[in-house]
Every structure is written in C-alpha cells, then in structure tokens.
Amino acid sequence: MKSYLLVMVLIISIFANAITGQADPFATVQEKLDGITVEEKKVLEQFFIIIQEIDVMESEEERIAQEIAEINDDIKTLENEISLQEEEYKAKQNGLEQVLKSYQRMGPVSYIGIILESDSLSSLIRRINILRDLARNTGELLDKVEESKNKLMDNKDKLKYNIQLLEDRQRELDEALEKANTLKVDLEELISSLGEEKEYYRDYLTSMQIAWDEAKTMFSKIAENFSKIVNESNISPEELNLSFSANGIKSVIKEDTINDIISKEADLEEMVIDFQSEKIRIELPKWNLNLSGKFIIDGEHTLIFQAEEGSFYDMKLENGSIEELFKDRQMVLDLLPYLGNNATIKSVKIGEDFMELIIGWSLF
C-alpha cells in the first residue's frame, strides 16, 4: 500500500517506465544521493523515518484487518454450532422429560409389583435386569443432557470472548488508521514547508519508497535462499574446527567458510557476512542494505539471525522496518546435517571473523 501523497509521482514514474523500460530503483536512488549535500541528506533522513512509520502502520492495518476477518469467520462458525447444539439440547431435554413422566406415573409401587409378579427365578432375574437397564439408560440420558449443556455453555463463552476480541481489534485498527493518517498529514506539511524545493524532495522520497518496497520483496527471497543454500552445503569436519572443551565439544566456524558458500550462489546477491565482536553484520551492497544482530538458539541444532540494527543507503532503519524485512522469512542456520541427531547447541558466541559453538553430545 503506497502513501497517498506519492501516488501521482508513482503514476508518472510507471508511465515513463512503460515507455523507456524499467529502471533499476537502487541505481536511481544511488544516483540521486550522490548529488546531494549533507544538509539535504539530513532532511531526507527525517522524511525517510516518517515514510517507514507510515509503511509499518499500513502493514499493521492489513494485519489487523486480516485478523478481524478470521475472527468474524470464527464467530459465524460458533453461531452455527450453538444453534445446532441448542436444538440437540432441547431434543434431549424433551426425551428426558418424557421418561421422567413415565416413571412418575408408574410410581415406586409399580416397580415392586413388576418384580413380585415374577413366576420363576429366571423371570425375576430378567425383570430385574430390565429395570436395571432402564435406570442405566436414564442415567446415560441425564449425562448426555448435561454434556450437551456444558458444550453449549462453552461455545457461548467462546462466542462472547470472540466478540470482545473483535471489538478490541477493531479499536486497534481505528487507532492504526488514525496514526497513519496523522503521519501522512505531517509528512505533507513538512514537504509543503520547503517551498520551491518540495518537488525536489518529493522526487527523492518517491525513489526511496520504490527502492525500499523492492528491497523488502527481494530480502524475503534472499533470506529463504540463504537458509536453503547454507543448510544444504557440504561443510567439512575441518571447516567445523571441532575440539574438546570443559563445557562440551567446541566448533569454530570462520566467516570465510560461510562467505565462500555464499559467493558461489548467484541467488544471494553478493551478500557478505561479517563476524564482529559480539555481533554479526550482514551486508547487501547491491541494495545498500546493512543489518547487524546476533544468532539465537532455536531448538537443539538451529540458529536464527535476530536483527537489532539496520540501515538503507546509510539511513537508519526503524525497528518496525526491520521487523517488516523478516515478516515472511527468517534467516536460519540448521546445523543438524553437520552435528547429527545426538548433538545439542548449548551456546553461541560471535568473535572477530569467527563463530564459536559449544555443543552437548549424547551417545544414546
């Protein structure tokens, strides 16, 4: 979803591209940034922060709207179930009512009479068994009526909860829409305050928006390819650098090992991994996109990259924008093929040019 104030410029840009051919959005942005002053870049950075906030809020709108649609579907399903359960409950109630009325008409003397009228031992036993079956069936009917009642009450409680949840999500959606609209107004006012230079900056922002949208789309593919390619590559025992330590088996993997795997794959768009002290830096020069963070342990033999900071054309990425990059796909290192089923990653440490793993190993 594009910011409304960029729509006209985008239409012109799309029309021009249809005539002249699709331009590389990253090359366009780089060309524009190469020709601006430090002060102009500071202004552009302020605008880019607002654009990121608008982008995040619009994504939040979409997420909440989807959740509201799912809740509405759940409510309709529950309403149908409740309707059927109410009919079933009434039918069982009516059946139980008829049985109880029959018992009431017969009275306890009738049951004694049935037993005393037996003309043989076998007849007596048969009649006692019949009465016992009647009592058991009545008990089962009572249980089923109670069970139907409990299911009905549970679903009514779920319905009440979902209706409240729907109201809460609708309120969140309204707040997100209001915040996004406020940000758009603020951005438009800032651009308008620039006077004759407003179209100049609007042009920059349009190029940045196109490049950023493209980067988000492409990054999801890059993250998927990274996880797939690295996990399917053959890292030799020598490259794992296994040794014994006081805490378990230690593995030291050099950044060159990872980068050598990446460099052989065109799908990874010249990605570079840089292991630094206590953090990992991921560089994508083609997009001028840089991320830094750490690996966290997920399960027994999987590492997931958790981004903490980032920049796009040397402009800071807000936390919401970083989350957007990883919304559809995480960057995952599954070390099961190298460590085996009996291994468990106990800790991970990042140092200059290397990653150190401490691995617990079980023989059984």
Side-chain angles (χ1 to χ4, degrees), residues 24-163:
D24 183 347
F26 305 105
T28 301
V29 170
Q30 189 60 59
E31 181 181 347
K32 291 180 180 297
L33 290 176
D34 287 342
I36 67 175
T37 65
V38 173
E39 290 302 317
E40 288 172 336
K41 187 172 182 180
K42 287 182 179 179
V43 174
L44 189 58
E45 286 174 346
Q46 293 175 351
F47 288 163
F48 185 54
I49 289 174
I50 298 177
I51 281 183
Q52 290 181 74
E53 292 175 347
I54 292 173
D55 196 32
V56 169
M57 292 313 303
E58 289 177 341
S59 295
E60 183 72 0
E61 290 172 29
E62 293 177 2
R63 184 191 66 77
I64 296 174
Q66 178 62 35
E67 191 173 345
I68 286 174
E70 292 172 357
I71 294 172
N72 274 320
D73 289 342
D74 290 342
I75 286 175
K76 290 178 182 178
T77 300
L78 280 171
E79 286 175 340
N80 290 333
E81 288 181 3
I82 287 171
S83 178
L84 292 173
Q85 287 172 346
E86 284 179 335
E87 292 178 5
E88 181 183 356
Y89 179 58
K90 288 178 182 177
K92 288 177 179 177
Q93 270 189 321
N94 290 334
L96 180 61
E97 183 179 353
Q98 294 303 318
V99 171
L100 294 177
K101 284 181 178 179
S102 297
Y103 287 168
Q104 188 177 23
R105 283 195 299 269
M106 294 173 66
V109 176
S110 298
Y111 294 109
I112 295 172
I114 290 172
I115 295 172
L116 294 177
E117 288 174 1
S118 303
D119 55 7
S120 66
L121 179 60
S122 60
S123 175
L124 175 64
I125 294 173
R126 185 173 63 255
R127 292 186 179 207
I128 290 173
N129 287 335
I130 290 172
L131 292 175
R132 184 184 295 120
D133 289 341
L134 285 172
R136 183 172 60 250
N137 291 339
T138 303
E140 289 175 357
L141 184 56
L142 282 167
D143 291 340
K144 288 180 179 179
V145 170
E146 186 66 21
E147 182 182 353
S148 294
K149 178 183 176 182
N150 291 337
K151 285 182 179 178
L152 184 59
M153 295 303 295
D154 286 345
N155 276 342
K156 284 186 175 181
D157 287 341
K158 289 178 183 177
L159 179 61
K160 183 178 179 181
Y161 170 79
N162 278 354
I163 290 173

Side-chain angles (χ1 to χ4, degrees), residues 7-17:
V7 169
M8 291 307 297
V9 182
L10 285 174
I11 291 174
I12 295 171
S13 175
I14 292 170
F15 180 77
N17 286 334

